[in-house]
């Protein structure tokens, strides 16, 4: 098993949609970025890449490359999942914390879990999405943007198969 940590932040921008965890969230401003600026998807992507020892999102999808302009971050995440599968890894679970003053994350958490689960190939119950306030402190507290932290656990498919076989054996005893 391997664990990775990811972080992303974006400042708010006028005239952009707010997309978090692949969910279009009603808000007066979206996030500024080269792609769709989905801070949740970016943090999860970095956590998975880190767990596999494959660098970060900027290495794989550099903002200097025009092909990633306005890219759907869930599609980028899907590419990383395929990269992990090619190295014989499977996502086990993901834990995400979104830090912002607004919008409230709780009402959108389940939809984010479902969208991420469909890309990661795991059940929504293996994904946690939490929203936290910065209690008015710093740039987040002033409502200038959003930050997201993610932790991801991956395992090699051989280890997962062995674990399932052991559970089947133990259940038959």
């Amino acid at each position: 098993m391997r664990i990775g940590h990811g972080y992303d932040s974006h400042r708010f921008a006028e005239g952009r949609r707010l997309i978090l965890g692949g969910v279009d969230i009603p808000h007066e401003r979206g996030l500024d970025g080269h792609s769709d600026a989905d801070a949740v998807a970016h943090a999860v992507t970095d956590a998975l890449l880190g767990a596999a020892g494959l660098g970060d999102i900027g290495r794989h999808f550099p903002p200097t490359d025009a092909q990633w302009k306005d890219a759907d971050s869930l599609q980028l995440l899907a590419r990383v999942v395929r990269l992990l599968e090619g190295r014989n890894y499977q996502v086990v679970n993901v834990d995400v914390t979104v830090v912002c003053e607004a919008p409230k994350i709780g009402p959108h958490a389940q939809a984010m879990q479902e969208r991420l689960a469909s890309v990661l190939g795991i059940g929504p119950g293996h994904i946690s999405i939490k929203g936290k306030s910065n209690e008015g402190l710093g740039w987040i507290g002033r409502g200038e943007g959003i930050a997201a932290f993610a932790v991801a656990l991956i395992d090699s498919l051989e280890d997962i198969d062995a674990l399932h076989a052991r559970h089947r054996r133990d259940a038959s005893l």
Side-chain angles (χ1 to χ4, degrees):
M1 295 189 135
R2 298 174 64 127
I3 192 165
H5 178 264
Y7 168 81
D8 194 45
S9 64
H10 290 276
R11 67 179 69 239
F12 281 118
E14 298 296 330
R16 296 212 15 136
R17 295 174 25 226
L18 178 59
I19 301 169
L20 294 172
V23 176
D24 203 332
I25 297 176
H27 195 63
E28 62 269 9
R29 296 175 293 167
L31 295 174
D32 191 23
H34 185 68
S35 66
D36 63 7
D38 183 336
V40 169
H42 294 178
V44 171
T45 300
D46 265 352
L48 293 173
L49 288 167
L54 296 173
D56 66 8
I57 193 170
R59 177 174 153 197
H60 294 269
F61 312 106
T64 55
D65 190 334
Q67 73 175 313
W68 310 123
K69 178 74 174 141
D70 298 322
D72 179 333
S73 295
L74 286 188
Q75 290 181 2
L76 303 181
L77 180 58
R79 291 172 80 106
V80 168
V81 169
R82 288 193 300 275
L83 178 64
L84 293 180
E85 289 170 347
R87 292 175 180 261
N88 214 34
Y89 287 115
Q90 165 71 47
V91 179
V92 176
N93 76 301
V94 173
D95 184 20
V96 178
T97 302
V98 182
V99 185
C100 60
E101 299 305 303
K104 296 290 185 198
I105 298 303
H108 308 285
Q110 183 175 352
M112 285 189 245
Q113 287 173 265
E114 291 168 1
R115 290 297 309 272
L116 290 169
S118 69
V119 173
L120 298 175
I122 58 178
H126 294 269
I127 300 171
S128 174
I129 306 282
K130 303 173 297 296
K132 299 294 179 184
S133 166
N134 225 32
E135 302 296 331
L137 299 173
W139 64 272
I140 293 174
R142 289 189 300 270
E144 295 174 17
I146 290 178
F149 298 87
V151 177
L153 183 66
I154 63 173
D155 201 0
S156 71
L157 293 174
E158 290 96 6
D159 291 345
I160 290 172
D161 290 342
L163 179 65
H164 287 223
R166 188 169 68 242
H167 282 274
R168 285 192 298 276
R169 185 186 73 243
D170 292 349
S172 67
L173 295 178

